[in-house]
Amino acid sequence: MGYSAEDEALIKEKWDDLLLSCTKICKNDEDWNFIKRAFFLAKEAHEGVRRRSGEPYLLHPIAVAKIVIDEIGLGVKSVVAALLHDVVEDTEYTVEDMERIFGAKIASMVDGLTKMSGVFNADTSEQAEYFRKVLLTLSDDVRVILIKIADRLHNMRTLGSMPLNKQIKITGETIYLFAPLAYRLGLYSIKSELEDLCMKYRFPQQYAEISQKLQESEATRQEFINKFNAPIIAALNRDNIDYEISGRVKSIYSIWSKMQRKQIPFEEIYDLFAIRIVFNPLPFPSAKTQCWQIYSTITDIYTPKPDRLRDWISMPKANGYEALHSTVMGPDGVWVEVQIRTRRMEEIAERGFAAHWKYKKATISQDEDEFDKWLKQIRAALNSPTESAVDFLDNFKLSLYTSEIVVFTPKGESRKMPYGATALDFAYDIHSKIGNRAISAKINHKLEPITTQINSGDQIEIITAETTHPKPEWLEVVTTAKAKQAIKNFLKRERQNNIERGQQMLEEQMKALNINLSGRVLRKIIPIYESNNKDELYSKIGAGIISLDNLDKILKSNSRNKLLKFWTLFIPKKEGDEAEEHVAAGDELSEPKPPETPQQFVIAECCKPIPGDKVVGYRDPATDNIIVHKANCDELNRLASQFGKNIVKDEIKWSQHKAMSYLVTVELRGLDRLGLLLDLATVVSGDFNINIREINIHSHDGIFEGGISLYVKDAESLQAVMDRLRKIKGIETVKRTMN
Ligand code: MN
């Protein structure tokens, strides 16, 4: 135990550096002593412990404390809490000790931070429940979350020494939760850095390519910026404005996102950078007026693009961001974005919440602003008893990235809605009862469908009818968490009713046929009725989607099963126990089974990996199945962030084996054309779970009709192939025959 001389030197160097930053926040001896006491306690508590990288653990809390001062702009108490943030979690010290030594405030902050570190290691529901608790402390003290973000930032900066599965889990959480949270709290540069770091670890090659291209184009870009800025600088100097002008390059992650979103190469991204003008306003006229004066000066020089003017001064963004953005036509016919803001606005943009608080205190404003409203919303959601903790987490995430529009009720009351909201969202925003009964809307006195997207300034009246009710498609129409939740609740209740009704109907039918509804019988009819499980079967019967008219025939029919080769997934045995290859030589029934079969693997719907793809497993706690995602799937990131514990640590591999399959016939009809048969065969054989027995097609008068008999593993793979067939040009109907 103890620190070596080398460690001591390293710690001293970092500690001295932190003390230098502390000069910005310490006002008296008391402040200095408070921080020093925290440092010495942390030093003693973490003594002898090292991080995975090998360096003394203490360097981590020191680094977090430094981020808290330099990059977030928090004060003495936060620095103390940052230094102590892992003490209760990792050492013998308790929250009570913290209270005794540092007082109640610090103890409650450290307690919040300790709880939060448990969030991503606990069980699913427990994890979301923890998060909910921690967010409750957020509404009391936002600093806890800000320190947690600093903690995450430092962990991301040092992620290289972590093993791959940890990297996937941590980057997943970061991209899903921490980066949006940083954005919502106004920490723009931290948000960008978190995203860049995630990309660096998850997509190292793309990251390196873009960063290299940025470097290569640096000189040309600087030359252009100088040329663009020259006349602006001359004009601002002429007007005696105290300003700074700079060219800001976009983050690598945002460049990459844009390349993907627009499907364009790096070379075609024209807005790689923006020009930023930050100035110290004179006491008069208002700062806003002075921003517009500078805008006017610039647009005297360059022509603005009218639809690209953004006034976030009159109406700040929900995260407090204020600035005037304009895109103008620069030299050589290139569009350039110009951002104009005062020093105060700049500080809020860089430091977010903390800076915002500082200015708010200075002006002693009692007005409820955007931050207050957001916190109020969170508090309300946290206290809502209808939401499960997991849903809450999803909805919370949804509330993080929104820009807002203002709309009006028929009585002229204004309501803020997120950008992209529809009339249906508005209906649910008023009340879930109105949403559930909505049939259409009068937008600015004109009748429109309930699915219409609403715009700032619209006046909206919702028309309701007793007879209508929410449909699953509505989930695609709404964008607000509130509406989504209300619709889900309704559908869940309805589905439950259908399940009960369906089960009853099936039981009655079976009784009439004098057959016992055993597990064996259920297993037989579930795939025949194209369902995946018991509940789905019952709910389809209850909803009238499945008719039981043919039940008798189906039960008597011979399913003509066959053993066929399929790809399967497995987890190779540990060390030295090399996975055996099970590619069949013949087509014999004596084929050995793959090494690990009891485990159920399910192909993820979102990214649909195919044999050969690199995959990562996620254990679904409800079914204990392993859901297999592509290694770079977005949904996987989301899951990793919420339920990181369920990510399967072991590598999952593909192998071939044999399994039972069922013969079904699919009827097709459509317009005949050249190459149709080839397209059909390609689609069917392209699916790795499908084996064709025969294809029969005959055509007359330009119409073709026919059938394909194929072996499928289950209803799901049949559904998939039918969906693909429907997409073939010319095909009009695809039906499964009941044989
Ligand atoms: Mn930590």
Side-chain angles (χ1 to χ4, degrees):
M1 295 293 264
Y3 294 104
S4 67
E6 209 178 308
D7 289 348
E8 286 283 3
L10 203 56
I11 290 169
K12 186 171 184 315
E13 181 196 326
K14 300 287 177 188
W15 169 232
D16 284 346
D17 190 35
L18 176 65
L19 286 174
L20 206 63
S21 293
C22 287
T23 54
K24 286 187 268 188
I25 54 168
C26 288
K27 291 185 204 74
N28 48 40
D29 285 354
E30 211 180 310
D31 287 349
W32 283 110
N33 286 333
F34 206 25
I35 291 174
K36 283 176 188 165
R37 272 165 55 213
F39 169 75
F40 286 114
L41 187 134
K43 187 174 179 208
E44 188 246 323
H46 294 300
E47 189 173 332
V49 184
R50 289 176 188 282
R51 303 194 85 204
R52 192 176 277 269
S53 60
E55 58 177 31
Y57 194 88
L58 188 64
L59 296 187
H60 168 63
I62 294 177
V64 174
K66 193 167 158 61
I67 293 170
V68 157
I69 305 175
D70 293 350
E71 297 178 53
I72 307 184
L74 293 173
V76 174
K77 283 203 182 71
S78 304
V79 171
V80 169
L83 284 168
L84 300 171
H85 82 270
D86 281 331
V87 162
V88 171
E89 167 84 4
D90 296 341
T91 77
E92 303 282 287
Y93 283 96
T94 62
V95 175
E96 290 70 38
D97 294 331
M98 294 298 109
E99 175 154 8
R100 197 165 34 77
I101 307 170
F102 297 99
K105 184 72 239 177
I106 296 295
S108 91
M109 287 169 82
V110 174
D111 190 30
L113 287 159
T114 307
K115 274 183 190 150
M116 192 129 181
S117 66
V119 168
F120 295 106
N121 300 318
D123 286 338
T124 310
S125 57
E126 219 179 320
Q127 183 173 315
E129 196 50 54
Y130 263 133
F131 199 80
R132 189 174 175 134
K133 269 190 215 143
V134 171
L135 287 168
L136 272 169
T137 66
L138 174 140
S139 50
D140 297 335
D141 195 337
V142 185
R143 290 176 295 186
V144 173
I145 300 287
L146 294 171
I147 297 166
K148 191 65 207 175
I149 289 174
D151 181 33
R152 175 53 53 126
L153 180 59
H154 185 246
N155 286 334
M156 284 297 297
R157 283 174 180 171
T158 51
L159 195 62
S161 43
M162 283 287 175
L164 185 68
N165 71 311
K166 276 266 170 93
Q167 285 185 358
I168 290 178
K169 175 170 170 278
I170 293 173
T171 50
E173 289 167 7
T174 302
I175 209 74
Y176 182 74
L177 214 56
F178 284 94
L181 197 53
Y183 171 85
R184 198 60 172 74
L185 294 169
L187 300 163
Y188 279 88
S189 40
I190 290 184
K191 173 221 169 215
S192 296
E193 187 179 345
L194 287 176
E195 289 172 341
D196 274 2
L197 286 166
C198 284
M199 185 184 164
K200 189 171 151 192
Y201 287 104
R202 290 295 274 276
F203 300 96
Q205 198 192 334
Q206 290 91 327
Y207 183 89
E209 272 169 26
I210 295 176
S211 91
Q212 199 196 341
K213 284 185 173 169
L214 276 176
Q215 267 170 30
E216 285 166 4
S217 56
E218 164 79 45
T220 340
R221 190 164 49 244
Q222 200 50 53
E223 202 177 300
F224 178 88
I225 290 175
N226 291 343
K227 189 164 144 196
F228 179 86
N229 285 355
I232 299 179
I233 290 172
L236 294 178
N237 287 345
R238 175 200 67 205
D239 296 342
N240 275 324
I241 291 166
D242 176 12
Y243 70 97
E244 268 170 49
I245 188 165
S246 57
R248 317 282 297 200
V249 179
K250 262 199 171 146
S251 77
I252 294 179
Y253 178 82
S254 64
I255 292 171
W256 183 59
S257 305
K258 188 158 190 176
M259 284 164 61
Q260 293 200 312
R261 208 170 49 241
K262 302 218 157 170
Q263 292 290 310
I264 50 175
F266 177 88
E267 288 69 25
E268 280 172 37
I269 296 197
Y270 70 87
D271 57 346
L272 275 179
F273 63 91
I275 299 296
R276 183 176 298 169
I277 297 167
V278 179
F279 70 103
N280 274 320
L282 299 167
F284 299 103
S286 72
K288 179 177 164 182
T289 306
Q290 293 177 61
C291 285
W292 282 106
Q293 278 166 353
I294 293 177
Y295 169 80
S296 169
T297 304
I298 291 166
T299 51
D300 282 346
I301 304 167
Y302 299 118
T303 313
K305 199 176 182 185
D307 61 330
R308 293 292 306 168
L309 176 63
R310 298 283 179 275
D311 176 6
W312 280 307
I313 299 178
S314 307
M315 278 225 230
K317 278 194 192 180
N319 61 12
Y321 182 84
E322 292 171 74
L324 206 55
H325 289 195
S326 170
T327 299
V328 301
M329 177 61 79
D332 314 325
V334 179
W335 291 112
V336 179
E337 181 178 289
V338 182
Q339 307 172 347
I340 305 163
R341 53 172 92 138
T342 64
R343 187 107 345 264
R344 177 190 66 84
M345 296 172 190
E346 164 80 359
E347 200 177 334
I348 288 178
E350 292 290 317
R351 297 276 175 77
F353 210 89
H356 171 86
W357 243 218
K358 190 173 108 189
Y359 285 108
K360 197 177 168 181
K361 249 196 229 157
T363 57
I364 325 174
S365 154
Q366 291 300 312
D367 293 347
E368 190 179 74
D369 55 31
E370 297 302 328
F371 273 124
D372 298 323
K373 282 184 200 150
W374 183 63
L375 287 180
K376 212 165 123 186
Q377 265 179 26
I378 289 182
R379 211 172 290 147
L382 286 164
N383 293 326
S384 144
T386 56
E387 256 180 317
S388 78
V390 173
D391 283 340
F392 168 76
L393 195 55
D394 267 335
N395 290 338
F396 172 72
K397 148 91 182 171
L398 214 58
S399 79
L400 291 175
Y401 278 127
T402 47
S403 55
E404 283 166 335
I405 58 170
V406 180
V407 294
F408 299 92
T409 66
K411 285 182 182 155
E413 184 200 333
S414 75
R415 288 187 102 92
K416 279 204 172 160
M417 299 291 301
Y419 177 79
T422 58
L424 192 54
D425 282 303
F426 178 79
Y428 275 104
D429 192 56
I430 295 173
H431 200 284
S432 60
K433 276 187 189 147
I434 298 192
N436 285 342
R437 296 261 169 264
I439 49 165
S440 62
K442 269 188 182 170
I443 300 176
N444 305 323
H445 305 292
K446 203 172 147 240
L447 201 62
E448 304 275 7
I450 200 74
T451 53
T452 311
Q453 189 178 327
I454 53 179
N455 295 309
S456 231
D458 283 349
Q459 189 172 45
I460 303 146
E461 184 185 346
I462 300 297
I463 316 238
T464 59
E466 277 299 314
T467 50
T468 186
H469 57 81
K471 299 159 192 64
E473 307 87 85
W474 282 15
L475 288 170
E476 310 295 316
V477 173
V478 297
T479 62
T480 57
K482 195 174 170 184
K484 275 208 163 80
Q485 195 53 46
I487 296 168
K488 273 191 204 158
N489 286 345
F490 183 94
L491 295 174
K492 211 161 133 192
R493 275 198 309 274
E494 189 185 51
R495 181 176 146 87
Q496 199 49 49
N497 292 341
N498 283 339
I499 289 176
E500 282 161 24
R501 192 177 324 127
Q503 183 172 6
Q504 209 179 348
M505 285 163 73
L506 184 62
E507 276 166 3
E508 278 167 16
Q509 274 288 334
M510 298 296 266
K511 222 176 189 172
L513 294 170
N514 219 355
I515 299 171
N516 186 18
L517 185 53
S518 64
R520 196 187 56 83
V521 172
L522 268 175
R523 272 195 300 280
K524 178 170 181 183
I525 60 176
I526 284 171
I528 295 175
Y529 283 119
E530 298 176 21
S531 302
N532 291 307
N533 53 49
K534 212 164 64 191
D535 280 356
E536 189 182 336
L537 176 73
Y538 292 151
S539 117
K540 281 179 170 171
I541 296 171
I545 299 167
I546 295 177
S547 131
L548 294 177
D549 295 349
N550 286 330
L551 187 62
D552 193 15
K553 231 166 97 187
I554 284 168
L555 287 169
K556 284 185 196 140
S557 75
N558 178 357
S559 56
R560 284 176 289 167
N561 303 336
K562 188 181 168 183
L563 275 171
L564 285 176
K565 272 195 293 175
F566 288 111
W567 281 96
T568 191
L569 290 149
F570 70 101
I571 297 174
K573 287 261 162 45
K574 292 275 146 27
E575 250 118 287
D577 195 345
E578 264 293 295
E580 302 163 56
E581 281 292 307
H582 285 277
V583 183
D587 212 10
E588 297 310 310
L589 296 180
S590 59
E591 190 71 25
K593 290 201 155 197
E596 196 68 48
T597 40
Q599 188 59 60
Q600 263 308 117
F601 291 97
V602 178
I603 297 293
E605 267 305 301
C606 43
C607 54
K608 297 199 178 82
I610 57 167
D613 281 342
K614 193 165 179 258
V615 292
V616 172
Y618 172 80
R619 190 180 299 279
D620 178 10
T623 58
D624 216 38
N625 289 341
I626 292 182
I627 308 198
V628 181
H629 294 262
K630 280 190 192 165
N632 60 359
C633 169
D634 282 345
E635 173 66 7
L636 179 68
N637 285 337
R638 187 186 73 86
L639 292 167
S641 74
Q642 281 174 287
F643 317 114
K645 207 192 164 204
N646 299 334
I647 296 289
V648 179
K649 289 195 184 69
D650 309 291
E651 192 186 358
I652 296 175
K653 287 192 163 175
W654 296 91
S655 148
Q656 276 195 327
H657 79 122
K658 297 197 146 208
M660 194 62 84
S661 65
Y662 308 90
L663 182 66
V664 290
T665 304
V666 175
E667 264 178 22
L668 304 160
R669 213 183 124 83
L671 297 169
D672 198 17
R673 65 173 168 84
L674 218 61
L676 183 77
L677 198 61
L678 183 65
D679 282 359
L680 282 177
T682 315
V683 164
V684 178
S685 58
D687 189 298
F688 60 90
N689 272 345
I690 303 295
N691 232 307
I692 315 174
R693 199 178 74 166
E694 57 179 326
I695 301 188
N696 271 313
I697 300 280
H698 43 95
S699 82
H700 53 89
D701 306 327
I703 304 283
F704 82 85
E705 278 174 310
I708 305 182
S709 297
L710 28 88
Y711 285 101
V712 293
K713 205 178 78 172
D714 52 23
E716 213 176 327
S717 43
L718 175 63
Q719 197 53 49
V721 83
M722 285 172 62
D723 287 346
R724 287 209 218 167
L725 288 169
R726 286 193 183 99
K727 285 191 186 124
I728 295 177
K729 196 177 138 215
I731 297 229
E732 287 192 343
T733 53
V734 176
K735 265 198 322 214
R736 177 179 174 191
T737 56
M738 284 287 177
N739 53 357

